[in-house]
Structures are given as structure tokens and as C-alpha cells.
Amino acid sequence: MGTITEVFATSVFSDKVMKERLPADVYAAMKRTIHHAEALDPNYINTVAAAMKDWAISKGCTHFSHWFQPLTASTAEKHDSFLLPKGGMSAIEAFTGKNLLQSEPDASSFPSGGLRGTCNARGYSVWDPTSYAFVKNKCLYIPACFVSYTGEAMDKKIPLLRSVEALSKEAVRLLHLCGKTDVHYVRTTAGPEQEYFLIPYDLYMKRKDLQYTGRTLFGAKPSKGQELDDQYFAAIKPQVKVFMEDCNIELWRLGINATTEHNEAAPCQHELAPIFDTTNISNDTNRLALDVMKTTAQKHGFACLFHEKPFKGINGSGKHNNWSMATDQGENLLNPTSDPYHNTQFLLFLAAAIQSVSDYSELLRVSIATAGNDHRLGALEAPPAILSVYLGDELTAVVNAIADGKKYVSPVKTTMNVGVAAIPELKKDTTDRNRTSPFAFTGNKFEFRMSGASQSISEPNMVLNTIMAETLRKFANRLERAKDFETAARKLIREVFKREKDHIIFNGNGYSKQWQEEAARRGLPNHATTPEAISVYDKPEYVKLFADHAVLTPDELRCRKAVMFDNYVNQIKIEAQTMCEMVIRDILPACFGYSTELSVTDSSAAAEIGVRVNTLTDDLYAATKNLEKALEGLKSAGIGEEKAYYTRDVIRPAMDAVRAPADELETIVSREYWPIPTYGDILYY
Ligand code: ADP
Ligand code: MG
């Protein structure tokens, strides 16, 4: 393959390729667009398109596609060939500026939450020049936005891009007040750490639940779970290592900085982390990485699972979203530097982040609310559904000193001695880590830990950027009027720290029962399930927030809310239907077969087991009939919110009632009869 640097980004229409293939003025304009968010001169688009086409054809491409992110769980693409017939059976390869700029995929079947009817189905995909085009499977992929005929956002990218601009505008105002007048633009950065399961593909294909829903709907706890913690950071299995190597090469080719890989807490669970980039590029490359991981896994005989909770009783998968802000001069605005206490600019941005989470924690909760993530949040493996901010010892000391008006003594960087002469002294961090916090300061960025593994990071980042824009705007409004900036800024910082130190800031154990009670006393919202979380999305103050910053119009927001309810209901409905199918067509026939065998076996053990099998089989059948009835009831359970609550309160419990006898049957029915691979089969290979 060559060295990493030889392979890296060879499938990307990168800066390097642009420099080689574009005239100098066009290249410079593209760079300004990508790095400084300046609109590209329309006169240059034909030139860029021609260069892109020639490059893609040199890479073996026959097709091009706008690649966009509708309001579903996946990405969308429609391929068109470069072929243009010229009469007399001749043809040329063509790709114009118009082809690059926009396409009309129609795509009337994507959810819009009512933004458009199927009768006015026009929708356009529009080139996003701030994310890099790439080639894959002989096709040129062009990252794109997806808008309706009337210009409304029907995808996950447009609001994210708008939110970056909103934040940039307000952050620049504040930075100018801080004396950084050379800053023109602020970008938000994200580094998503991706968790996933890798299981044998042949076993995956034997389970309809995994195929249809991404998670197991049945499965008894195996005799060995994760209690020994012998998987976490353990040596990677050779066949998994081969998968990872292959996957890395493919990701590197696509310009994705995959760096860290290790085994996670659960058996068969792993993590892959890239190096951070802008939130827009990180969002695109994360979607792309999931695709690459899935297809590469299949080549190696594995199925790659991104569901938030593929196995009951075993840790699920999240996607920690590391987030920060950086200026066009390259300064990370969440870098505390060596003296955070005296660094007013850093403290302003820190205070703004804290206040934003405090004021808008419900929106962060909505941004990651899905049926899949409900299994994970608060299940002692992921943060609870309550938002709080963890700062660590060093910053907490700074915050407390400022809030209480006390003198701050900075911690001395200490060293640690392992107690072995041959090992040199180690530098110790001034702050420990807290794995249980949903929003933790980790050195020079915040880590938002509530997102689910399968989710797009566009929504949480869109919310983070927007709520931050709002707080920065409030700060800038106030400080622009101040006579003495430094005094006014320190006063503002103190007010925020005083108010929040025993409110949204919490450094303790987020998994504990006491925290739930304490959080309730503090008045922090706790929306345990998705329907509750979604229902507050269009509170008047939130509608106003998104409208004020031109991130979502009131219509766009309400439509998104409707789509979220629909997705929640549909996901669980498919799970319930799959359960019924598996019980009737797989599990019950197996139980009948085994029961018959027991009945002709002349032994008291067989008789005793037979009674238990028959009782559980009857329970299972009754519970399944009940679930079918609940599903029937869904048809008349209203729309949107009402349907979602019905799903949560009637269907979900009916599903649990089906699972219980089935899982017990699995533990007593002979292996020979049991029709689906068990957790033990799947997780220990
Ligand atoms: P940790 O061990 O604290 O999780 P890592 O160095 O493994 O830290 O980083 C986790 C992720 O955070 C990586 O994807 C990394 O690129 C990303 N990251 C680092 N700095 C930033 C930043 N300024 N903004 C956004 N993400 C960042
Ligand atoms: Mg981390």
C-alpha cells in the first residue's frame, strides 16, 4: 500500500489536487471558501467542475453523485454518468458547473415532516464547497445540502452550516472586544469517537432482528458477560486487527484521519477515533466512515453494528462528540493556557459554554433523542438523561475562587513516581477524568457524551453552535456597552460562575441514584425517554432562538419535531413486528419440537422440563397475541406526539412481556432446537 502519507487522501479532491489542477486564482478562491467561508465566485464554478471531472475520470470514475443527508438515519446518493451522447452513436464525457452546483433528485419520499407534499415534491441538492469531494466505487461524490423548492432545509447539513455562521458572527464580536481584531471567522471543531460491535456475519444473517432493527430483540444473558473486564483495551483479535488495517487504509484514502483504535468494555466492542476537523467535515467523514466500516467488515466476514444497544445487559455504543471553537488564526478558544485564572478571554468562552448548557440543556437532550439511545442513557454505562457540566479539579478551583471572590492558588504540576528505579518520573495532569458526565471539559475541548453510535453528529453540533451563539451574543451586547471591558468582563464571568457552580456544574458521579435526586432539587430537567424530550423542542423560547440566529425557521423546526416522532414510532413498530414474526415462525416451532421430544422421553427430568417449556410457551404465545393487539391499536393512536406516547407506554411494555418468556425458554430448550444464535454464540468467537 505504501506509507500512510502516500495513501492519505488519494481519493479526495484535496487542497493538493486543487493546487495542481486549478488556475492559481481559482485555487485561491476555493481555499478562501473552504478555510474562511467566503462565497465562491460563480464564474469559477465551471473551471472547478472541469478539473473535478478530469481528476475523477483519471481515478476510473464513470459516474458522479450529489451526496446528502436527509432526515433519515442514512445518507442519500443518486448516480449520473458523465456520458453525453453527441448523435451518430458518439458521446463525450461531460460535467458542467451546473452539474456540480445543483441537481434535482426529486426524492419525494424522504421525510419532510410536512414541509412539502408529494404533489409539490421538487427538492434540490446543492454542492457544499466547504467539504471535500471524493471518489468511491468509480463514482465522484459531491457533498451536498438538500433544500425544498421553497428553500427550506430538508437535511441535517444546512442547519449545521447555518449554526456555524451564527456562532462565528457572535464569537468574532466578542473576540474583537478582547482585542483580537485580526480574527475574521470562527469555526467549530469536532472529533467523534465511534464505538461499534463486530460480530460474525453468518450469525448476523441468522437473526432477523439484527438485520431489520440493528439490535437483538431476544437473547438470554450468557454465562459469561463483561464482568471480568477482560475485553476492555485487551489485545485485539488477529482477524479483527486485519479488518481494522483494511478499514484504516480505506479511511485514509478518503482523507479520514483514523488514528486511535482499541477494544471497548463489552465483548466484540471496539472504538475508532479520528483526528478532529471542522464540525461540517467531521460530520461528513463520520457518515462516510460508518459506510466504509460496514462494507469492509462484510469483506472480512463480519457485520459491523452501530446500534446504541445491540445486546441487552451488555454495554451499548455511543459516539463521544469532542467539541471546541477555533479562530481563522488557529487559536483554540477553549485552551485554558497556563494561567486560566487570569485569562479573561478563555474564561468568557468557558462561562458562555457553561451558561449555554444551563439555559438550553433540553435542546441538547432533544438533539440525541432516539429510540435506540433510550436504551443507553441512564443505564449505568452512559450519562443519565440529565445534562450537567464537568470541569475537573483545576477549573473548578478557578470557578470557585472567582465566584467566591477568593484568592486562587494554581496547582503545582506534580510528578508521579511509579516506584521502579528504571522508569523515569511522569508528569501528572492537574485534572482527573470523569467518565460519567454528559458534558465534560477534557483539557482544551468539551466532550459531549450523550450521542448514540448510529446517529449523525450534525444535530448535537448544530445545537451546541446555536446555543453558544446566543450566549455569546448576550455577552457581546453587554460588554460592547461597558466603559471598562476588563472590569465588566470579570463581573460577567463572576455572575455566571456564581449562578452555575451549584447548578449545572457537577463533578460527582453522574451514574448514582443520589445525583438524580440532587439534580431534581437543582431543578435540572430530566427527560428520561425520547417522546418527553422531543415534546419540548418547539417551546416558544426555542423557536425564537433558532429563528433569531437563522438556523431553523419555525416551520423547519416544527417539521423536524414531527419527523422525530415518526422515526421513533416507526423504529419501535418495526421492532415489535419483527418480534412477532420471530416468535411465530422461529421460536414457537422450536419449542413445539423440543416439547414433543420431551414428551416421548421416558424420564422424570424430561417430564419436569416439559412442563416448564409448555408453560413458558403458552406465556410466550399469549404475550405475542397481546403485542399484536397493541400494534393494531397503534393505527388508531392519533398522530405525532400521541402516537409516540402510545408506542412508549403500550408497545414497549408489551415487547418486554414477549421477551421475558422467550429468553427463559432459550436457557432450557436444547441447543439443537434453538433456532437463532445466542449471545454466547455471537459474542465469543
Ligand atoms: P481523550 O483521550 O480525552 O478522549 P483524545 O486525544 O483521544 O482525547 O481525543 C478524542 C477526540 O477529540 C479525538 O477525535 C481528537 O481529535 C478530538 N479533539 C482534540 N482536540 C479537539 C478540539 N480542539 N476540538 C474538537 N475535537 C478535538
Ligand atoms: Mg474521549
Side-chain angles (χ1 to χ4, degrees), residues 191 193 262 271 273 320-322 433 435 442 445 447 449:
E193 300 168 55
H262 61 77
E271 180 182 297
H320 293 175
N321 183 67
N322 294 273
R433 280 172 179 274
R435 294 251 155 241
T442 48
K445 61 191 188 286
E447 185 169 334
R449 301 208 179 105

